[in-house]
Amino acid sequence: MMKSAASTSAPGRSYPLAGSRVRISFTFSRHVVPYLYLTPALLAIIMFVYLPLARTLYLSFHQGNLLNPTRSFVGLDNYTQLLNSPVFHRILLQSAQYMIFSLIGSVLIPISLALLTLHLTDKELDFYQSALFLPTVIAFNVVVLIWAFFFLATPNGLFNRLIALLDQPPQSWLRDPSFALPSIALIANWKIMGFHFLLAVAGLKAIPKEILEAAYVDGAHEWTLMRRIVLPLFAPTGLFLVTVTLIGSLDAVFTPIRVLTEGGPNNATNNLMYAIYSEGFRFFRVGQASAMSVLLILLFGSAIYMQYRLLDRWVTYER
Amino acid sequence: MRKLLTILPLVAISLFALMPHSPTAVAQNAVSIEYWNINNQGFGGATVDLLIEQFEAANPGINVEARVQESYPSLVQNLELQIAGGNPPAVVQIGWPYLDYVYNNLPYVSVEELIEKWGGAEHVAQFPENILNLTLMGDSHVGLAYSLSNPVVYYNADMFVKAGLDPDNPPTTWEGWLEIAPQLSQANGGIPVFNFGYGSDNWILQAFVESNGGRMLVCKDGEYRSGLDSPEAAAGLQAWADVVLSGQSLNATYNEATPAFIGGETVTYTYSIAGRGNLQSQASFDLRATVFPQFGDNPVRVPSGGNLLVVFATDPQQQEAAWKFVQHLTSVEGLSEWTRGLGYVPLYEAVLNEPAYAEFIAQNPIQQVGNSQLDRMVRWTSFPGPNGLAAGEVAFRATQAALGGQMSAAEALAQAAQEINELIAGQPCTE
């Protein structure tokens, strides 16, 4: 008697053939084939992501440089040194400051500007999009050089000329700890803002007009429309902007730091990303650099996890 | 016809592939070596090209490829990666502060080994002992000293005239400079008088510290210790910080300092004699120079900037070619070309007597200033051990803190000395 195929198959599905060959074939196609398809991508991820991560973790328990094969095992020394170092605490704090500046310059301002463009004609919007997007397409080194002229410490620096109009003496913008970090953050955000503005405009444009019109007909005022319809429907784009900004905030300031301040004055512009680079490639202390990298991954990983958990509650996805 | 048109490009490509299209394919047994240096076109690049051209003409079969790196730190970074990849460059300019790091970490070929394999003892014998000792680590020489520079005070003589001062008699002491600084500034629109371009290499810091009687590094009980926590060191840095904080000096890194001086935004610029060629070609005013100032009765001690040439080639053919090239660069003619092109000081007596150099020096008083400081030159401090580079960064941070007015020089240096001592702990020395 032929056994019903339905009994060997997934619930709710029936197959015309039965028998062990069919079962093997089904099991194979259901449980093995997907993994075969995934294998090339998995191999690439393992090779280029997980193996380096494992290697970084391994190196963080050692002391040595890139060349010397004999590295000494130091256990958790690199971590305890870092966690007890006032310089590292300062670097962490400054990393957070860079993130806050990024949230303002690369999320809040672009979204605000995008909201302001809601009433513009398409032609006017095109103009603003092009003008604001321009810095995005300029090479970062060029952007930094442009801004270097603004921040020159000499009386001929552009900012010094401006403050000279107010009878103020010239400032060493990038050598003064109170100006240096905001100056570096300003450069990075100036470069990124246009792209994020474009994304914000796209997010706003994706809000169905019918919903807005219906609400308007129902008597909703501008503020109510904004609060009840625009912002909730814009939330996925907003969440995306917040996420990519936070992830990229330390990366974005790397070039200006590298070219203009090297983390100075007296560490005032240093952040986790640049500190890792300095330890690994300027001082060749691979163990310390790896320990910092591991801490960075943990910090970013947990921050992004928390961000998703918290923000997911507020975000409305159209399904 | 269409077939012909299809075949023709294929034939052309095949012929091109078979053609000897690189110089290595032209000469039989040709050797190619890489020469890593920091000489871009604004800093001696043309002289490097000329020296390579001369060498290749005299040594057919050896091709030298110059690879310009951004700076000494980035050169060492890239060198390390290249060595890790098993393909080290043949000859490399190593900045003096990296001598200790190279000695302890990188697989260089010592001068003694090169002489034993390929000869050249008589060439090395031309160097005076103090210059040879600059590259001596342990019982062997890491490389050959090549570029030696010292800091001089460049000044704008036109601004001296404007202030009613004699440009032929600039001050030679710190006190002398402080005395005329207000007059110079006032007569020239209130601009800063001083300009000490600096970077994380601590070069100018060392000049201030050691010319005030302090030391960057001392040997105590058989171990290296930082010398920055002495009152003399603090006095040196404080002297610099005082003029910065009072607005008499620009607070600028090398990148900003040079254009500021060239643009007439400061009266003086304390910078390497190696920058002479570049400054002379750019200055549109009467450019002159004088010695690094003396502080009180302390003898002037200026760190020797520049680099040494180190061979990393492992292949015997390349190693031999590399050593030949090093000898060419440090020959009388090679050094004459080099020092005239950039401004480095000559390494040995015979260069001074070389006709082209003698003529050049007679007509170039700025270069004479650099040469006159030869006996005041000391080794540029290279903090020892695997954390040596990080220790250098600590000293740099202290400089920034003092120049920015966040701490007094004494506080900043005391804190830095403590940190440096932790980083270099256990590094042995002999008194």
Side-chain angles (χ1 to χ4, degrees):
Chain A
M1 193 182 150
M2 277 181 73
K3 201 175 169 184
S4 163
S7 63
T8 62
S9 66
R13 284 175 136 183
S14 63
Y15 293 85
L17 295 172
S20 60
R21 263 183 74 189
V22 175
R23 273 203 304 277
I24 290 167
S25 164
F26 171 76
T27 309
F28 186 78
S29 63
R30 170 108 189 181
H31 297 291
V32 180
V33 170
Y35 292 102
L36 285 179
Y37 283 125
L38 282 173
T39 304
L42 278 175
L43 279 178
I45 290 172
I46 288 169
M47 193 176 292
F48 296 113
V49 179
Y50 292 109
L51 279 181
L53 273 180
R55 180 85 178 148
T56 304
L57 189 65
Y58 167 82
L59 286 173
S60 72
F61 300 120
H62 292 77
Q63 230 171 28
N65 60 33
L66 281 175
L67 284 181
N68 200 340
T70 52
R71 296 189 176 92
S72 49
F73 179 76
V74 293
L76 290 170
D77 274 10
N78 289 328
Y79 290 97
T80 47
Q81 266 175 28
L82 280 177
L83 295 173
N84 291 324
S85 155
V87 174
F88 186 66
H89 297 161
R90 192 177 166 193
I91 288 171
L92 282 179
L93 185 70
Q94 284 168 190
S95 301
Q97 283 176 323
Y98 277 119
M99 285 180 176
I100 292 166
F101 275 114
S102 291
L103 286 175
I104 296 168
S106 299
V107 178
L108 202 61
I109 294 177
I111 291 177
S112 307
L113 288 174
L115 287 170
L116 287 176
T117 63
L118 279 176
H119 300 295
L120 295 181
T121 63
D122 282 354
K123 214 171 180 182
E124 289 166 335
L125 184 60
D126 282 349
F127 169 76
Y128 282 110
Q129 278 181 343
S130 310
L132 287 172
F133 189 68
L134 186 66
T136 310
V137 294
I138 305 174
F140 217 148
N141 280 339
V142 179
V143 168
V144 173
L145 286 178
I146 292 169
W147 280 92
F149 288 111
F150 283 77
F151 290 122
L152 272 182
T154 63
N156 275 339
L158 288 177
F159 282 143
N160 278 342
R161 282 189 177 202
L162 281 178
I163 62 168
L165 298 174
L166 305 168
D167 283 334
Q168 295 298 311
Q171 297 290 327
S172 289
W173 300 99
L174 298 172
R175 311 277 157 264
D176 186 326
S178 44
F179 293 127
L181 190 146
S183 304
I184 293 288
L186 174 67
I187 298 172
N189 286 302
W190 181 79
K191 163 100 172 118
I192 294 164
M193 195 186 71
F195 180 56
H196 285 197
F197 167 73
L198 224 64
L199 292 175
V201 168
L204 287 174
K205 279 193 161 184
I207 297 171
K209 275 195 178 142
E210 306 81 58
I211 301 177
L212 289 169
E213 282 164 6
Y216 190 72
V217 168
D218 288 346
H221 294 293
E222 191 126 330
W223 173 240
T224 317
L225 279 178
M226 185 66 71
R227 203 159 57 91
R228 301 277 187 197
I229 296 172
V230 176
L231 289 180
L233 289 178
F234 178 76
T237 311
L239 172 67
F240 172 74
L241 283 178
V242 169
T243 309
V244 293
T245 299
L246 284 181
I247 293 172
S249 57
L250 303 186
D251 251 349
V253 289
F254 183 88
T255 309
I257 295 175
R258 171 79 179 80
V259 177
L260 296 175
T261 64
E262 291 190 270
N266 191 20
N267 271 324
T269 57
N270 210 349
N271 71 19
L272 256 178
M273 209 65 91
Y274 191 75
I276 290 169
Y277 163 76
S278 291
E279 286 294 341
F281 298 102
R282 287 176 68 210
F283 314 140
F284 306 119
R285 302 198 302 173
V286 177
Q288 282 87 342
S290 301
M292 273 192 197
S293 303
V294 171
L295 291 177
L296 178 77
I297 293 165
L298 289 176
L299 277 174
F300 267 178
S302 42
I304 286 165
Y305 175 74
M306 278 170 64
Q307 183 190 334
Y308 267 104
R309 292 287 300 229
L310 288 172
L311 292 183
D312 232 16
R313 293 181 190 172
W314 312 335
V315 174
T316 312
Y317 289 101
E318 258 197 301
R319 292 177 206 276
Chain B
M1 185 64 186
R2 186 179 279 182
K3 216 171 191 179
L4 186 69
L5 282 174
T6 320
I7 291 169
L8 265 179
L10 287 174
V11 173
I13 291 167
S14 312
L15 281 175
F16 180 76
L18 292 171
M19 265 167 55
H21 54 274
S22 72
T24 34
V26 177
Q28 284 289 312
N29 302 321
V31 184
S32 270
I33 56 171
E34 279 187 16
Y35 172 38
W36 282 25
N37 60 80
I38 58 144
N39 303 109
N40 56 44
Q41 286 306 314
F43 187 54
T47 310
V48 169
D49 292 343
L50 179 71
L51 287 164
I52 290 175
E53 207 177 291
Q54 289 170 349
F55 176 73
E56 287 180 340
N59 295 276
I62 303 180
N63 304 298
V64 182
E65 212 173 309
R67 294 243 187 250
V68 182
Q69 304 288 322
E70 182 205 347
S71 60
Y72 290 125
S74 60
L75 182 147
V76 176
Q77 288 162 23
N78 294 336
L79 175 65
E80 186 148 353
L81 295 174
Q82 198 81 4
I83 291 170
N87 186 26
V91 181
V92 180
Q93 285 181 359
I94 296 290
W96 291 109
Y98 292 91
L99 175 61
D100 189 90
Y101 186 80
V102 170
Y103 168 66
N104 281 306
N105 298 288
L106 304 188
Y108 65 89
V109 188
S110 73
V111 172
E112 283 75 8
E113 192 181 334
L114 290 165
I115 291 174
E116 194 188 320
K117 281 183 180 167
W118 317 109
E122 61 294 338
H123 173 75
V124 176
Q126 293 178 99
F127 285 72
E129 202 184 335
N130 67 324
I131 301 290
L132 277 180
N133 281 346
L134 290 175
T135 67
L136 183 64
M137 300 295 285
D139 53 3
S140 68
H141 292 83
V142 175
L144 268 190
Y146 182 45
S147 308
L148 273 188
S149 65
N150 53 56
V152 299
V153 183
Y154 296 97
Y155 61 95
N156 184 328
D158 296 341
M159 289 183 176
F160 265 65
V161 174
K162 213 169 165 185
L165 295 163
D166 179 8
D168 295 330
N169 288 301
T172 54
T173 63
W174 186 243
E175 292 74 19
W177 277 110
L178 291 181
E179 202 181 313
I180 64 165
Q183 198 178 338
L184 273 170
S185 178
Q186 210 173 6
N188 291 286
I191 60 170
V193 172
F194 305 105
N195 177 0
F196 301 93
Y198 64 99
S200 54
D201 53 23
N202 298 316
W203 199 52
I204 289 293
L205 172 69
Q206 187 176 345
F208 269 102
V209 164
E210 302 217 350
S211 293
N212 274 274
R215 294 290 179 271
M216 297 287 282
L217 201 58
V218 292
C219 189
K220 208 173 174 184
D221 304 326
E223 269 189 25
Y224 279 116
R225 313 289 292 164
S226 167
L228 291 173
D229 48 359
S230 69
E232 293 84 3
L237 178 56
Q238 194 61 54
W240 181 9
D242 284 344
V243 288
V244 168
L245 295 171
S246 66
Q248 286 182 301
S249 174
L250 194 68
N251 182 8
T253 56
Y254 293 126
N255 292 343
E256 286 177 278
T258 307
F261 178 61
I262 294 292
E265 294 183 82
T266 60
V267 181
T268 69
Y269 179 26
T270 303
Y271 185 50
S272 168
I273 187 64
R276 178 203 38 84
N278 184 36
L279 292 176
Q280 278 179 325
S281 67
Q282 290 192 57
S284 57
F285 50 81
D286 184 1
L287 175 73
R288 304 204 193 170
T290 186
V291 290
F292 189 84
Q294 184 176 18
F295 292 77
D297 297 328
N298 295 304
V300 175
R301 285 168 61 92
V302 283
S304 56
N307 56 63
L308 62 152
L309 294 173
V310 182
V311 172
F312 287 95
T314 45
D315 171 74
Q317 258 192 314
Q318 284 194 332
Q319 205 176 79
E320 186 182 9
W323 181 228
K324 267 187 187 169
F325 183 58
V326 169
Q327 290 181 71
H328 167 75
L329 293 177
T330 53
S331 66
V332 173
E333 296 74 22
L335 282 175
S336 167
E337 205 71 67
W338 186 236
T339 53
R340 278 183 287 131
L342 282 97
Y344 287 114
V345 296
L347 297 180
Y348 49 87
E349 192 77 21
V351 183
L352 284 168
N353 303 326
E354 197 261 343
Y357 189 78
E359 192 189 330
F360 163 78
I361 201 81
Q363 292 167 6
N364 204 314
I366 294 182
Q367 189 63 48
Q368 288 171 27
V369 174
N371 291 3
S372 74
Q373 295 194 124
L374 267 169
D375 58 348
R376 301 169 191 186
M377 285 166 70
V378 293
R379 189 190 273 199
W380 189 356
T381 298
S382 170
F383 287 102
N387 296 324
L389 298 174
E393 177 75 7
V394 173
F396 175 54
R397 286 208 316 259
T399 307
Q400 290 182 315
L403 297 186
Q406 291 101 51
M407 287 188 219
S408 71
E411 286 166 345
L413 289 180
Q415 201 174 307
Q418 198 182 341
E419 221 176 307
I420 290 171
N421 286 337
E422 282 167 21
L423 287 167
I424 63 171
Q427 293 300 316
C429 65
T430 46
E431 298 278 357

